[in-house]
């Protein structure tokens, strides 16, 4: 699978299989997306890579980091210490 931000400066590839698909309703996700929920797929760190550019990182709460494009602001993957070794990609940012 391929994904990108709105302006295309940050691109990634994600290899299957997907470990999980989650709809999150936490306050951080609701605020980041200005929506009632966000949908993520979780994959191991060995299953994905940046192919163009690199995102900025925001530490949104203890043990959690959210990435985003520094140019257009598109939210990108999320990582939590509670789920180490897994990156959670936003389904809406994926092409497929």
């Amino acid at each position: 699978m391929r994904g990108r931000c709105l302006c295309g400066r940050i691109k990634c590839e994600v290899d299957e299989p997907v470990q999980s698909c989650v709809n999150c309703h936490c306050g951080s996700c609701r605020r980041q997306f200005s929506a009632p929920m966000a949908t993520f797929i979780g994959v191991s760190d060995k299953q994905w890579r940046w192919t163009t550019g690199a995102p900025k990182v925001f530490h949104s709460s203890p043990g959690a980091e959210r990435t985003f494009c520094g140019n257009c602001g598109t939210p990108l993957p999320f990582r939590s210490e509670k789920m180490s070794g897994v990156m959670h990609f936003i389904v809406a940012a994926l092409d497929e």
Side-chain angles (χ1 to χ4, degrees), residues 6-37:
L6 181 62
C7 71
R9 289 190 182 182
I10 312 283
K11 295 180 182 176
C12 65
E13 289 181 348
V14 178
D15 300 326
E16 295 185 63
V18 171
Q19 293 181 2
S20 62
C21 183
V22 177
N23 289 320
C24 186
H25 303 85
C26 80
S28 292
C29 285
R30 290 193 326 261
R31 285 178 186 85
Q32 183 179 21
F33 294 95
S34 295
M37 68 177 184

Side-chain angles (χ1 to χ4, degrees), residues 1-4 10-16 41 43-53 76-77 87 89 93-96:
M1 294 179 275
R2 290 182 177 85
R4 65 180 183 87
I10 312 283
K11 295 180 182 176
C12 65
E13 289 181 348
V14 178
D15 300 326
E16 295 185 63
I41 57 167
V43 296
S44 84
D45 281 338
K46 296 177 183 177
Q47 293 177 261
W48 69 273
R49 66 213 141 272
W50 300 119
T51 57
T52 304
L76 293 165
M87 186 66 97
F89 284 82
L94 298 173
D95 296 333
E96 293 90 22

